[in-house]
């Protein structure tokens, strides 16, 4: 099937209560391919009233969905996994068309995203409460879990499928209904995913999808509505903070996957070949538009020049272009605003005295392309070391000792992920205990795994997605105290 045929058949209306509907004011908004700047679809633009209708559908479906058996929910999730895999190439083509990443990376995202459906299908039936004798030997303590209830799921544009499955799958597994609000830049993948969920047997109203260009207007009233019990947000720290504030009124359960500023540490004993491979993945996967992208390269001074020249060589070999072309390794950034931001971070670093080793130039032509870029000699405290770059730019700085490396790595308000290359086991353990991070990759440039708890500390977030922890975000813990059965 050609991309045009695929895009022609993607649903573009809102998905509320199992129906595909227009926005209440019939408004639509354009979705743009960032490789060409051309409009590829017009999607219904949900209003606050549509958001409320979606919550009503979710609230009405909550009781029946919570009453389904774990096996029933597991079977539906397993079917959804099968359907996503069956439609892998089609979903990948949609992701590339609306988000820009190379097709092979979109395929990898579909595989990764689908695994959340499989993981939580399995979790559904394995999850148990507990029964114990109180320490004084008298009462009995029973602990069980109940679904939190209708949940608002807000996702970003950088992984249009995986960020949705990472929330929808545990919500479904736990017995929660939901309103999914995808990013307006990439709504098509979420809408097609909703169609597959419907085909998998998810009942009407259990998952609702409302793309909108007015996110605050839609989510604000939902966060204040007493029928909503939870919000799970993935996106920038600034928006996350605002949602936490709005969640206070109803004291909602809150999960936050926010920004990162990942340090990539290479120690003097590292396998340099592996470190270069890891650096390429940690920096260029998703074009650097990932919360877990390496944002600051901290290299031991004894190997810094060797690491830099090898990285520059590899970055120069990268083929940039439309993600739909098979040779493309680096796609465009998501939009002009993002490209301007990335470029201004590079320009201000250079103005402050940094050396541009490669890239750093916007070439004329259509699309929002930015070349793979390497900077060295960056002054301490430069904006590019403090902010999430969200682009294919590698700023390299050096350290002299492990103590200094840890101190530099921890010098950030964020704490999502760190990467470290070393062969020393004791050092690995020291890093695991001293780095302020939710996740640590040792000798690897990728940590994301549906079976592991993904999430950050400090201003990178609250809660975890995936792993044994993921389902807990959608469950309430209920304790039942039972009088001693041996007492008469
Ligand atoms: P964003 O914060 O602009 O948007 C995220 C989502 O929030 C989108 O759906 C958007 O429409 C919505 N939104 C925006 N303003 C809102 C408001 N006032 N009220 C309610 N919703 C609102 O982020 P983005 O640009 O889409 O994504 C990039 C950010 O996401 C980066 O900071 C990145 O680090 C972060 N991210 C984090 C993780 C993680 O797991 N920690 C994963 C992916 C992306």
């Amino acid at each position: 099937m050609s991309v045009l045929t695929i895009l022609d058949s993607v649903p573009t209306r809102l998905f509320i209560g199992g129906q595909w509907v227009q926005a209440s004011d019939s408004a639509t908004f354009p979705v743009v391919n960032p490789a060409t700047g051309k409009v590829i679809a017009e999607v219904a633009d949900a209003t606050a009233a549509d958001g409320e209708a979606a919550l009503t559908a979710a609230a009405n479906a909550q009781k029946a969905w919570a009453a389904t058996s774990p096996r029933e929910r597991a079977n539906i999730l397993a079917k959804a996994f099968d359907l996503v895999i069956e439609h892998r190439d089609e979903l990948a083509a949609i992701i590339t068309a609306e988000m820009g990443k190379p097709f092979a990376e979109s395929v990898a995202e579909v595989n990764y995203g689908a695994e959340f459906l499989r993981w939580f299908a399995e979790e559904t039936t394995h999850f148990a409460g507990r029964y114990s004798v109180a320490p004084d030997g008298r009462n009995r303590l029973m602990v069980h879990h109940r679904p939190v209830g209708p949940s608002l799921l807000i996702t970003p544009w950088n992984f249009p499928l995986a960020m949705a499955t990472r929330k929808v799958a545990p919500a479904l597994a736990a017995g929660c209904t939901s309103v999914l609000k995808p990013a307006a830049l990439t709504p098509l993948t979420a809408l097609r995913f909703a169609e597959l969920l419907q085909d998998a047997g998810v009942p009407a109203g259990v998952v609702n999808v409302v793309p909108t260009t007015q996110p605050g207007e839609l989510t604000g009233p939902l966060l204040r509505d007493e029928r909503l019990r939870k919000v799970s947000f993935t996106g920038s720290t600034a928006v996350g903070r605002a949602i936490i504030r709005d969640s206070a009124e109803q004291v909602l359960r809150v999960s936050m996957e926010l920004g990162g500023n990942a340090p990539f540490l290479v120690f003097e004993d590292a396998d340099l070949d592996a470190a270069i491979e890891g650096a390429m993945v940690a920096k260029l996967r998703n074009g650097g538009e990932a919360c877990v992208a390496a944002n600051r390269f901290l290299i031991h001074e004894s190997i810094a020049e060797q690491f830099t020249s090898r990285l520059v060589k590899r970055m120069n070999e990268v083929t940039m272009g439309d993600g739909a072309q098979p040779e493309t390794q680096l796609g465009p950034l998501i939009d002009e605003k993002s490209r301007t931001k990335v470029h201004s971070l590079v320009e201000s670093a250079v103005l402050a005295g940094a050396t541009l080793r490669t890239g750093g130039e916007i070439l004329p032509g259509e699309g929002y392309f930015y070349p793979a870029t390497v900077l060295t000699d960056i002054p301490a405290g430069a904006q590019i070391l403090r902010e999430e770059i969200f682009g294919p730019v590698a700023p390299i700085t050096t350290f002299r000792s492990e103590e200094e490396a840890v101190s530099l790595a921890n010098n950030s308000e964020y704490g999502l992920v760190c990467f470290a290359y070393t062969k020393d086991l004791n050092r690995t353990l020291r890093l695991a205990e001293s780095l302020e991070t939710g996740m640590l990759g040792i000798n690897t440039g990728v940590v994301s795994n549906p079976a592991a708890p993904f999430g950050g500390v400090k201003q990178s977030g609250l809660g975890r997605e995936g792993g044994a922890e993921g389902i807990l975000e959608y469950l309430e813990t209920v304790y039942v105290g039972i009088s001693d059965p041996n007492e008469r």
Side-chain angles (χ1 to χ4, degrees):
M1 235 196 299
S2 78
V3 178
L4 284 180
T5 322
I6 291 171
L7 290 175
D8 263 354
S9 60
V10 175
T12 53
R13 286 180 289 171
L14 314 176
F15 186 57
I16 300 177
Q19 304 293 319
W20 295 96
V21 296
Q22 301 286 1
S24 58
D25 62 1
S26 302
T28 61
F29 66 91
V31 180
V32 168
N33 180 338
T36 60
K38 302 223 162 67
V39 174
I40 52 171
E42 284 285 338
V43 168
D45 194 353
T47 61
D50 295 320
E52 203 196 325
L55 178 57
T56 300
N60 290 343
Q62 177 58 52
K63 198 168 167 204
W65 182 245
T68 54
S69 70
R71 177 66 72 206
E72 217 173 324
R73 298 199 294 279
N75 286 344
I76 289 175
L77 279 162
K79 176 82 179 148
F81 168 80
D82 289 342
L83 285 175
V84 167
I85 293 298
E86 202 179 297
H87 293 271
R88 176 169 34 209
D89 284 3
E90 179 201 334
L91 284 162
I94 300 171
I95 293 172
T96 292
E98 67 178 349
M99 186 274 163
K101 71 182 80 175
F103 182 75
E105 286 196 39
S106 295
V107 168
E109 179 183 341
V110 177
N111 287 333
Y112 170 61
E115 285 300 335
F116 286 100
L117 297 162
R118 177 149 73 173
W119 174 260
F120 285 107
E122 289 160 356
E123 285 290 281
T124 310
T125 51
H126 294 166
F127 198 77
R130 65 178 194 265
Y131 176 85
S132 63
V133 179
D136 64 5
R138 294 168 66 82
N139 285 0
R140 300 298 183 262
L141 317 179
M142 193 175 82
V143 177
H144 75 120
H145 295 91
R146 282 209 303 249
V148 170
S151 304
L152 173 61
L153 314 176
I154 305 175
T155 52
W157 49 263
N158 59 349
F159 290 93
L161 181 73
M163 296 303 99
T165 58
R166 207 163 77 170
K167 295 187 192 305
V168 170
L172 286 173
C176 296
T177 61
S178 59
V179 174
L180 170 64
K181 197 217 74 60
L185 289 163
T186 57
L188 300 173
T189 309
L191 291 168
R192 180 68 182 112
F193 173 49
E195 211 170 35
L196 293 176
L197 287 176
Q198 195 175 28
D199 294 346
V202 173
V206 170
V207 177
N208 306 276
V209 186
V210 281
T212 179
T213 56
Q214 307 292 321
E217 281 76 351
L218 184 140
T219 61
L222 299 190
L223 294 168
R224 288 187 289 276
D225 189 314
E226 62 181 17
R227 295 172 300 170
L228 190 78
R229 289 314 316 145
K230 177 179 176 76
V231 58
S232 176
F233 171 81
T234 297
S236 59
T237 296
V239 174
R241 270 192 213 106
I243 290 174
I244 294 173
R245 272 195 292 272
D246 282 354
S247 317
E249 208 165 311
Q250 297 293 335
V251 192
L252 295 179
R253 283 282 294 276
V254 171
S255 302
M256 291 278 146
E257 297 288 350
L258 307 176
N261 183 0
F264 188 101
L265 308 169
V266 184
F267 290 92
E268 62 277 22
D269 64 333
D271 173 339
L272 213 52
D273 292 343
I276 292 291
E277 286 311 318
M280 290 300 288
V281 177
K283 185 68 259 182
L284 288 194
R285 176 170 161 261
N286 228 43
E289 294 175 305
C291 52
V292 288
N295 213 54
R296 296 173 287 155
F297 287 83
L298 304 172
I299 316 295
H300 190 270
E301 59 174 7
S302 64
I303 52 166
E305 188 41 47
Q306 212 186 340
F307 177 89
T308 303
S309 51
R310 287 182 64 177
L311 187 67
V312 167
K313 181 168 181 292
R314 288 289 300 275
M315 295 283 257
N316 281 336
E317 286 163 5
V318 166
T319 308
M320 184 166 71
D322 186 330
Q325 301 304 321
E327 68 278 10
T328 295
Q329 294 166 306
L330 177 62
L333 295 178
I334 188 69
D335 59 11
E336 188 58 55
K337 192 169 138 226
S338 285
R339 179 162 73 168
T340 306
K341 188 206 146 192
V342 170
H343 191 50
S344 73
L345 283 173
V346 172
E347 278 187 320
S348 77
V350 171
L351 266 178
T355 306
L356 189 61
R357 298 286 291 258
T358 189
E361 207 187 339
I362 296 179
L363 298 171
E366 64 179 16
Y368 313 119
F369 292 95
Y370 199 81
T373 299
V374 178
L375 292 166
T376 54
D377 311 312
I378 300 144
Q383 200 185 359
I384 200 161
L385 300 178
R386 284 182 279 117
E387 275 188 30
E388 210 175 14
I389 302 168
F390 244 58
V393 179
I396 299 179
T397 56
T398 60
F399 62 84
R400 291 202 178 92
S401 65
E402 183 183 313
E403 201 183 6
E404 188 190 2
V406 170
S407 155
L408 287 168
N410 287 344
N411 184 19
S412 170
E413 73 212 46
Y414 296 111
L416 187 61
V417 63
C418 288
F419 302 97
Y421 277 76
T422 177
K423 289 185 194 144
D424 182 337
L425 177 61
N426 285 332
R427 190 199 317 268
T428 299
L429 296 176
R430 283 194 300 273
L431 293 176
E433 291 179 17
S434 59
L435 288 169
E436 296 165 1
T437 184
M439 300 177 283
L440 172 58
I442 297 292
N443 299 327
T444 177
V446 186
V447 292
S448 306
N449 191 310
F454 188 106
V457 300
K458 302 204 278 189
Q459 295 194 29
S460 286
L462 297 168
R464 295 294 181 268
E465 290 189 319
E469 291 79 0
I471 198 166
L472 291 172
E473 302 280 322
Y474 295 87
L475 290 168
E476 296 287 10
T477 300
V478 181
Y479 149 60
V480 183
I482 306 167
S483 73
D484 185 343
N486 299 310
E487 267 188 12
R488 287 156 202 261

